[in-house]
Amino acid sequence: QVQLVEPGGGLVQPGGSLRLACTASGSIFPINVLGWYRQAPGKERELVSVIITGGSTVYADSVKGRFTISRGRADNTVNLQMNSLKPEDTAVYYCNLHSSSRSYWGQGTQVTVSS
């Protein structure tokens, strides 16, 4: 059974920073893609940033230059450093893992950017 745990999230003021972390457990290897999506109220879930096998990274245009994705010390972890946060970054952020043609999701963590 694959489980993705996402501590972090919370309330931050515009211009502030927040760091999300995701730890995957279970039969997760080989990991093909690992990263983050988000869903704002009334909107579809969208890609934020992912790391692809080999280390390539993909970012949504809206977060380029502000967010940085990285793998943790263990291969089953991924972090998302979010800087210069904007109100439009407010959403539920979901960790996602692709392994052997299957996709897994975390339970989501709320990020709210507001003064």
Side-chain angles (χ1 to χ4, degrees):
Q1 181 178 358
V2 174
Q3 187 175 17
L4 303 178
V5 179
E6 311 142 317
L11 173 64
V12 62
Q13 291 186 344
S17 297
L18 207 59
R19 184 177 180 87
L20 302 181
C22 174
T23 301
S25 61
S27 299
I28 59 174
F29 295 105
I31 297 176
N32 305 120
V33 183
L34 183 60
W36 296 90
Y37 287 69
R38 68 186 180 187
Q39 187 167 18
K43 295 187 177 181
E44 294 186 354
R45 192 171 297 188
E46 63 176 4
L47 180 145
V48 177
S49 182
V50 296
I51 298 178
I52 302 171
T53 300
S56 298
T57 56
V58 177
Y59 291 93
D61 287 343
S62 60
V63 307
K64 283 180 180 177
R66 301 188 297 122
F67 291 11
T68 302
I69 192 170
S70 62
R71 296 291 285 267
R73 290 185 176 182
D75 288 341
N76 63 331
T77 62
V78 63
N79 303 309
L80 185 68
Q81 178 66 41
M82 305 185 293
N83 298 328
S84 302
L85 282 161
K86 305 175 180 180
E88 51 264 44
D89 294 318
T90 296
V92 177
Y93 284 69
Y94 296 91
C95 183
N96 175 257
L97 180 151
H98 281 267
S99 175
S100 302
S101 301
R102 299 191 67 175
S103 183
Y104 303 92
W105 295 93
Q107 79 282 2
T109 185
Q110 177 69 46
V111 172
T112 302
V113 184
S114 175
S115 55

